[in-house]
Amino acid sequence: MTDTTTRVALVTGGSGGIGRAVVERLAGDGIAVGVHYAGNKARADETVAAVTASGGRAITVGGDVADEHAMAEAFDAVEREFGGIDVVVNTAGIMLLSPIATLDLDDLDRMHRTNIRGTFVVCQQAAQRLRPGGAIVNFSTSVTRLRFPTYGAYTASKAAVEGMTLILARELRGKDITVNAVAPGPTATPLFLEGKDEAAVDQLAKVAPLERLGTPDDIAEAVAFLAGPARWINGQVLFANGGVA
């Protein structure tokens, strides 16, 4: 049974890390969620099972975010199940680190395909489909301000996301749809912690005035704010980083 009175979200990369925290936070607010995955359906199924076990509503949808046909099918599936879409959250992304001088250009292309083209494709679908009162939440990074070495190519891809976010907000004039981006700082996810020893993690945790790393739940809280009550915040980048920049 579909329920057109229920708000509905599609979360790309919704099966792990920040994406899963976003799914569970939105579901906790009573939003039905399409949990998107690119390659790990089992993990997406686990996320859906956790949501439904808590009384929420969720389905899995798959596909390469950079493939416009696959994402059109993902949007179609969510609309068929829940009656429409109100919120799209673009957490899907990859991060490959290297000094600019030695970066494998294939890695550059991979990041740009997922982070730039993928975000663009999903935003394009969202701009055509979201109901009035809807919200698009993209993902950037606080490294656009922190400027850590080895993050050059990744940060370039996220700076592009910020640019398209701000322009899309203006292009959707009159549709009552907000478009914003969240820019997390150092956050304790498996992706962030991989390859870092305890000393490096401790040092990063002390950078913020709050003297800890962010958590996926911290970032999900910012997303839920932009996806729900924050109707007068539009065309902005929200730096969710505990004050590191």
Side-chain angles (χ1 to χ4, degrees):
M1 294 289 292
T2 60
D3 179 0
T4 56
T5 65
T6 299
R7 281 175 69 78
V8 178
L10 170 61
V11 180
T12 70
S15 63
I18 290 172
R20 177 163 177 165
V22 168
V23 167
E24 293 179 343
R25 180 65 174 79
L26 295 180
D29 286 345
I31 298 175
V33 187
V35 180
H36 164 269
Y37 66 93
N40 194 333
K41 185 177 188 300
R43 194 166 63 177
D45 288 339
E46 291 173 4
T47 303
V48 168
V51 168
T52 56
S54 299
R57 301 169 64 197
I59 61 168
T60 59
V61 291
D64 176 1
V65 289
D67 183 333
E68 64 272 30
H69 305 294
M71 293 316 299
E73 291 174 5
F75 274 76
D76 287 344
V78 174
E79 289 176 337
R80 282 194 303 268
E81 182 70 19
F82 298 124
I85 302 179
D86 305 282
V87 177
V88 169
V89 185
N90 272 307
T91 73
I94 59 174
M95 180 173 67
L96 304 169
L97 304 182
S98 168
I100 291 171
T102 56
L103 177 71
D104 186 327
L105 293 180
D106 288 340
D107 288 345
L108 177 71
D109 292 341
R110 284 177 58 201
M111 276 191 288
H112 282 204
R113 176 175 170 79
T114 298
N115 298 356
I116 299 177
R117 181 185 168 96
T119 299
F120 194 99
V121 165
V122 174
C123 281
Q124 190 173 65
Q125 288 291 325
Q128 297 170 12
R129 296 180 186 240
L130 259 60
R131 296 184 288 205
I136 299 170
V137 183
N138 292 327
F139 263 71
S140 181
T141 173
S142 288
V143 186
T144 56
R145 290 184 175 180
L146 294 168
R147 305 180 184 95
F148 292 147
T150 75
Y151 282 76
Y154 175 71
T155 300
S157 73
K158 291 302 188 177
V161 168
E162 290 187 12
M164 75 175 78
T165 297
L166 306 184
I167 290 171
L168 182 58
R170 288 151 182 78
E171 291 180 345
L172 294 183
R173 172 183 292 273
K175 294 191 175 183
D176 191 23
I177 296 170
T178 62
V179 190
N180 295 287
V182 173
T187 305
T189 64
L191 178 65
F192 175 78
L193 296 173
E194 182 180 357
K196 297 180 176 69
D197 59 27
E198 185 175 350
V201 172
D202 288 344
Q203 182 179 11
L204 287 166
K206 292 176 182 176
V207 173
L210 298 176
E211 296 188 330
R212 67 173 177 84
L213 293 176
T215 69
D217 287 343
D218 291 324
I219 310 307
E221 187 73 20
V223 172
F225 175 61
L226 294 174
R231 299 306 303 167
W232 196 235
I233 298 178
N234 190 26
Q236 305 299 317
V237 180
L238 176 58
F239 286 82
N241 58 32
V244 301

